[in-house]
Amino acid sequence: MIKTIKVNLEVMESMLYFWQATKDREKVGEAYIMSIADKNEMKEIYEDDFTSESVRLVLSAISNREILNSTNKKERKFWNNNMWMMEDMDYMNLMLAPLKTLNLDSIKDNLKNIDTNAEELEVVFVPGHHDVYKVSKNKLIINFFRVKPDLFDESVITIEDKEIKAFIEEKLKEII
């Protein structure tokens, strides 16, 4: 039986500092960039053609105000998404603010009657490249860049045109 559903924004908090510092023209060191790339949450989205080195390469280029010299589509998409966040910090904050107060108790209640050995589920938001989400063990990893706030109602947030809680509940059912 599901006892808890935890929201994990650890990587996003690190990225928030990265985006703000870089936008303010502060140099973000390689050690900090590698601390993001090496986070376990980030490792969940790595593939043969998108690795911690991809994250380091892209974030270093952004921090150093260099043009990304890569033909890798996932690295270029990651670069574009990160540049978009820094260009429109207000929009990024509209994306992030509702996640900080996201309460998934109603989803836990909806899933409590499903027979499962899982007691704890985790919803992790990371800055991804292309995929909307990934399921890994008891974790639902969601690409932060796919979160869409409603510009007219800040309380409404969607992913893939579904209200965020409905999206999360649907995807958590894949885990259990």
Side-chain angles (χ1 to χ4, degrees):
M1 181 168 102
I2 306 298
K3 293 182 179 174
T4 60
I5 302 175
K6 176 183 169 191
V7 177
N8 182 330
L9 296 172
E10 225 176 280
V11 174
M12 296 317 306
E13 293 293 340
S14 297
M15 290 304 299
L16 179 59
Y17 169 78
F18 174 84
W19 293 325
Q20 189 62 58
T22 303
K23 183 169 178 73
D24 293 343
R25 300 201 171 272
E26 295 176 23
K27 174 77 172 103
V28 178
E30 287 291 312
Y32 188 80
I33 290 170
M34 285 309 299
S35 76
I36 294 171
D38 289 339
K39 286 190 180 294
N40 288 331
E41 295 87 352
M42 288 298 291
K43 291 176 184 176
E44 298 284 354
I45 65 167
Y46 293 157
E47 302 167 345
D48 291 341
D49 57 347
F50 189 82
T51 65
S52 63
E53 177 58 19
S54 299
V55 172
R56 187 207 63 77
L57 176 77
V58 169
L59 296 183
S60 289
I62 291 170
S63 179
N64 293 326
R65 291 172 176 41
E66 299 168 350
I67 294 175
L68 179 66
N69 190 13
S70 173
T71 58
N72 180 314
K73 288 182 181 182
K74 291 179 181 176
E75 289 174 356
R76 290 191 348 237
K77 180 77 171 173
F78 187 67
W79 185 85
N80 282 334
N81 285 336
N82 279 281
M83 293 301 290
W84 167 45
M85 292 298 101
M86 292 188 326
E87 288 171 10
D88 195 348
M89 295 291 282
D90 290 337
Y91 188 77
M92 182 275 302
N93 283 317
L94 285 175
M95 294 167 69
L96 190 56
L99 300 180
K100 290 181 178 183
T101 60
L102 187 60
N103 183 330
L104 301 178
D105 287 345
S106 62
I107 294 174
K108 181 182 72 172
D109 292 341
N110 293 345
L111 299 177
K112 70 181 175 188
N113 293 327
I114 296 176
D115 187 28
T116 180
N117 290 332
E119 291 187 3
E120 181 177 291
L121 301 176
E122 189 173 12
V123 178
V124 182
F125 289 89
V126 298
H129 44 79
H130 186 270
D131 298 331
V132 177
Y133 75 100
K134 181 179 178 183
V135 171
S136 176
K137 298 177 186 162
N138 68 333
K139 294 179 185 176
L140 171 62
I141 297 95
I142 298 176
N143 184 348
F144 173 74
F145 298 126
R146 297 302 186 102
V147 171
K148 291 189 178 162
D150 186 308
L151 298 176
F152 302 106
D153 183 353
E154 292 179 15
S155 67
V156 176
I157 188 165
T158 61
I159 300 174
E160 297 288 288
D161 296 324
K162 287 187 179 178
E163 189 275 328
I164 192 164
K165 287 185 180 180
F167 177 87
I168 289 171
E169 182 173 348
E170 176 183 297
K171 303 312 176 195
L172 285 176
K173 287 178 180 175
E174 292 180 24
I175 295 173
I176 54 176

